[in-house]
């Protein structure tokens, strides 16, 4: 979607201004909690996962794993291990994806980059979702042990986030306290997070 890349959306303009020239795609991507009931086409979902899978990784190990829930039965399992606050809104999303990573390389050695690489894959996923006109919201509040058991994941996998994916809905569908938070977040000044030379 060309306008997503070339033009900051009106919903974002009041909250986000880049200090330096950057594609509008990065400003237009944010994490809403209001989701519409429309289903996500398999073609679009597969493209989002395909984008994530092309993220760079140490030694090209591709340690990320994506467990996808899109049927009512699958989603019901995911809903059980979401945190109480996240159940309020995330249960409306038509797709939930658990992002995990293999902590070991194929030869059995520890992979010190597995979490870094999985995080990169999530970033790619989020940007492709934005390009498809979809919203993606990463959820850290869930019971990892319960999820691991419910989804039969190997013990060596580390669970990072559950991603809610769908079309953005009207914030009026959210409880009042959450409606107030339904805006794109800003960022610290670049000078606060970029250290030139060494940390002083």
């Amino acid at each position: 979607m060309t306008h997503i890349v070339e033009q900051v959306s009106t919903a974002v303009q009041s909250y986000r201004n880049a200090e330096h020239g950057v594609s509008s795609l990065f400003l237009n991507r944010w994490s809403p909690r209001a989701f519409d009931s429309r289903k996500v086409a398999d073609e679009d979902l597969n493209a989002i996962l395909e984008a994530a899978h092309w993220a760079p990784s140490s030694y090209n190990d591709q340690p990320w794993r994506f467990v996808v829930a899109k049927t009512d039965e699958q989603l019901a399992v995911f809903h059980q291990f979401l945190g109480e606050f996240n159940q309020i809104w995330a249960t409306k999303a038509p797709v939930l994806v658990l992002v995990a990573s293999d902590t070991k390389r194929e030869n059995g050695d520890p992979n010190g980059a597995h979490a870094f690489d999985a995080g990169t894959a999530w970033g790619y996923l989020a940007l492709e979702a934005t390009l498809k006109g979809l919203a993606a919201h990463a959820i850290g509040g869930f019971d990892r042990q319960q999820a691991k058991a419910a989804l039969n994941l190997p013990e060596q996998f580390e669970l990072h986030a559950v991603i809610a994916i769908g079309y953005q809905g009207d914030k009026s569908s959210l409880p009042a306290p959450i409606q107030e938070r339904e805006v794109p977040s800003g960022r610290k000044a670049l000078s606060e997070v970029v250290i030139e030379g060494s940390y002083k």
Side-chain angles (χ1 to χ4, degrees), residues 67-71 74-75 78 94-98:
V67 184
V68 179
K70 58 183 181 178
T71 69
Q74 293 165 348
L75 288 165
F78 274 59
V95 178
L96 294 173
V97 178
L98 185 137

Side-chain angles (χ1 to χ4, degrees), residues 4-6 21-28:
I4 292 290
V5 176
E6 296 179 351
V22 65
S23 168
S24 294
L25 172 63
F26 297 97
L27 302 180
N28 287 330

Side-chain angles (χ1 to χ4, degrees), residues 106-178:
E106 288 187 9
N107 65 2
D109 288 345
N111 181 351
H114 71 93
F116 184 79
D117 293 344
T120 305
W122 141 246
Y124 275 41
L125 183 156
L127 292 172
E128 183 65 21
T130 302
L131 287 169
K132 294 288 184 190
L134 292 158
H137 188 126
I139 300 166
F142 68 101
D143 189 314
R144 284 155 175 77
Q145 287 306 313
Q146 187 179 349
K148 187 172 280 191
L151 302 176
N152 198 32
L153 291 168
E155 190 56 38
Q156 70 192 46
F157 282 14
E158 183 174 332
L159 280 54
H160 302 290
V162 174
I163 314 301
I165 301 173
Y167 291 96
Q168 187 176 353
D170 194 301
K171 70 177 183 179
S172 64
S173 66
L174 298 169
I178 303 179

